[in-house]
Amino acid sequence: MHNPIALAALWILAYMVICLLPLGVVLLHPAPDPRGFWTEFSVALGFIGLALMALQFVLAARVNRIEASYGIDILLLFHRYTSVVAFGLVIIHPLILFVTRPETLDLLNFPEAPWRARLAVISTLAFCLMVVTTIWRKSLRIPYEPWRAAHSVLAVVAVGLGFGHGIGVGFYLGQFWTIVLWSGFIAIALWLILYVRLVKPWMMTKKPYLVEEVKPQRGDVWTLALRPMGHDGFTFDPGQFSWLTLGITPLSMREHPFSMSSNGDRRDRVEFGIKALGDFTSRIKDVKPGTKAYLDGPYGVFTTERYWDTAGFVLIAGGVGITPMHSMLITAAERQDDRPFLLIYSAQSWDDFTYREDLEAFKDKLDLTIIYVPREGPEGWQGETGYVDKALLERHIPHHRGSRQYFICAAPVMMDVVERALFELDVPVTHVHMEHFNLA
Ligand SMILES: Cc1cc2nc3c(=O)[nH]c(=O)nc-3n(C[C@H](O)[C@H](O)[C@H](O)COP(=O)(O)OP(=O)(O)OC[C@H]3O[C@@H](n4cnc5c(N)ncnc54)[C@H](O)[C@@H]3O)c2cc1C
């Protein structure tokens, strides 16, 4: 299917059908001896909650076709919100039973309770822990990698034991079609875990890369250049990103997402512009040429490639958010794209504009206008200064707003301000595309 909106709608429809499938099967094959409205209602909520939880494995599995319909940031937001809904349902499920059948409160007596109730308690606790450590990860000062590893383990525990609880109760999960359905869910979830954690990394070991060069850039950014080793590499749509693992093996959980900054049409060399911000990124400058690297990609819908019929582009970058724009510009320059590009680029100071010399050189090959926006200009600076806001955008973006596609990549605050400003300046929302570097 070529219509992206229809395809996106189809995925949502499929998602809803799968969530409601357990109820459909129960309705088609009702239990011989129903247990009263509130009990059945509570069980229905539990089933939907468990189905939603099982579906989270699909959302987190980087399925290229699904990701290509929405973009990773939207998918992760959806993952977050639907997890909260699933959590609500899983909590309401026993609460209804406790209120309508108070004798079920005895099931909370862990040492005495039957194992089906213990599984439910452990599953719910795992789910609680997962939600708390995700929502408050930064306040709790949990580093990203340990959090990610624990998140995966807790998810398996919560869903696995939730399913075990259903089998233990045996009322519906003792019936043939319900067992078939849930076995299918569990098999798919297990396959996705195996695929993401073992199969895909193993396939990546067959296509390693070598670090060719590590080069300093302005703005505390380092260019990391990789060369495919024993294979053809890949082409990508300018603006897309890959998950990068350095050294050891892709089976480790230490992979980080970075936008490619180089020409998307070149297979023999792929470059990233990495800003030293934290644990992993601060060590890029010490990476030795010859180090092995692995890439999982390309991913992402933040690309000029999808808008081949637009009259031109407005790129709005802040700091290291220039990396996907650099890829868009270099690819367009090499392809001799004759459409107009306007780059509005904000950085701390004139010396912090990463790729400044490259960008100036692109003007020889492209119809490119660059508006630099340093917080404070150098001595004698005549250009813009301060922050990118509505007034600044109004001075520079084309009068015919809908004639361009707008790409924004910057710090979260700047992205919010620019998105709102473009909306107020009557830029059609469907023409605005954003890449969030800060996912969690
Ligand atoms: C689509 C996308 C494209 C990106 N492109 C670039 C780029 O071109 N250049 C650039 O400098 N940065 C880019 N980033 C940001 C980059 O991935 C993070 O800065 C980097 O992973 C931080 O790792 P750290 O260990 O140095 O920092 P930390 O201090 O450990 O982490 C800082 C924050 O980065 C995020 N993060 C950390 N590790 C991971 C991980 N393994 N996976 C996902 N998020 C993580 C978390 O939100 C964390 O709170 C991009 C991010 C995304 C999502």
Side-chain angles (χ1 to χ4, degrees), residues 316 388-390 393 406-408 410 412-425 432 434:
I316 304 167
V388 178
D389 56 15
K390 184 178 166 189
L393 289 168
Y406 299 72
F407 290 82
I408 316 169
V413 180
M414 176 171 160
M415 304 233 324
D416 288 347
V417 169
V418 171
E419 185 188 18
R420 204 170 322 119
L422 291 179
F423 178 70
E424 287 168 12
L425 291 168
V432 178
M434 311 212 285

Side-chain angles (χ1 to χ4, degrees), residues 236-239 260-266 269 271 304 315 322-337 341 343 355 358-359 361-363 365-366 368:
F236 58 90
D237 294 341
M260 274 78 73
S261 60
S262 49
N263 180 350
D265 297 333
R266 263 189 83 171
R269 179 172 161 117
E271 290 181 10
T304 40
L315 313 179
I322 191 66
T323 51
M325 318 294 190
H326 185 270
S327 172
M328 293 172 188
L329 291 170
I330 193 173
T331 310
E334 293 305 322
R335 289 181 188 172
Q336 300 178 337
D337 195 325
F341 283 78
L343 171 65
Y355 306 129
D358 286 7
L359 297 172
F362 292 153
K363 286 181 179 170
K365 292 187 171 176
L366 275 181
L368 170 64

Side-chain angles (χ1 to χ4, degrees), residues 72 137-138 144-145 148 241 243 253-260 272-282 320 323-324 435-440:
I72 190 169
R137 178 179 73 82
K138 284 188 180 157
Y144 188 86
E145 263 84 23
R148 192 169 161 218
F241 70 95
W243 294 83
M253 304 270 290
R254 295 197 64 95
E255 50 172 5
H256 292 255
F258 294 103
S259 303
M260 274 78 73
F272 300 89
I274 300 180
K275 179 148 179 116
L277 281 177
D279 178 31
F280 177 79
T281 46
S282 302
V320 73
T323 51
E435 186 75 291
H436 292 94
F437 278 5
N438 198 344
L439 290 180

Side-chain angles (χ1 to χ4, degrees), residues 80-259:
R80 227 167 276 168
Y81 289 136
T82 49
S83 298
V84 172
V85 173
F87 182 60
L89 295 176
V90 165
I91 294 290
I92 293 172
H93 159 62
L95 286 183
I96 292 178
L97 290 180
F98 296 154
V99 171
T100 56
R101 290 170 48 199
E103 73 277 9
T104 53
L105 276 167
D106 291 346
L107 295 171
L108 290 180
N109 182 353
F110 198 83
E112 311 256 310
W115 65 267
R116 62 173 195 276
R118 288 186 202 158
L119 293 183
V121 170
I122 302 173
S123 164
T124 311
L125 286 178
F127 206 175
C128 286
L129 203 59
M130 204 161 50
V131 169
V132 169
T133 51
T134 302
I135 295 179
W136 289 287
R137 178 179 73 82
K138 284 188 180 157
S139 327
L140 293 169
R141 295 177 188 279
I142 305 174
Y144 188 86
E145 263 84 23
W147 166 80
R148 192 169 161 218
H151 194 74
S152 308
V153 173
L154 287 171
V156 173
V157 170
V159 175
L161 298 193
F163 181 58
H165 162 69
I167 293 182
V169 173
F171 194 75
Y172 285 116
L173 279 174
Q175 295 191 33
F176 178 73
W177 285 111
T178 320
I179 291 186
V180 169
L181 178 73
W182 280 98
S183 305
F185 274 7
I186 297 296
I188 292 171
L190 282 177
W191 163 246
L192 286 174
I193 295 167
L194 273 180
Y195 179 74
V196 171
R197 298 280 170 244
L198 293 174
V199 179
K200 204 171 191 184
W202 177 78
M203 278 158 41
M204 281 160 62
T205 60
K206 307 284 169 212
K207 292 190 171 180
Y209 288 76
L210 276 192
V211 173
E212 198 166 59
E213 190 183 8
V214 180
K215 198 169 78 182
Q217 300 282 355
R218 295 176 180 281
D220 210 9
V221 169
W222 293 79
T223 288
L224 180 78
L226 306 180
R227 172 165 54 83
M229 197 181 140
H231 60 98
D232 290 340
F234 59 80
T235 58
F236 58 90
D237 294 341
Q240 287 193 300
F241 70 95
S242 290
W243 294 83
L244 167 74
T245 307
L246 275 179
I248 342 163
T249 145
L251 289 159
S252 74
M253 304 270 290
R254 295 197 64 95
E255 50 172 5
H256 292 255
F258 294 103
S259 303

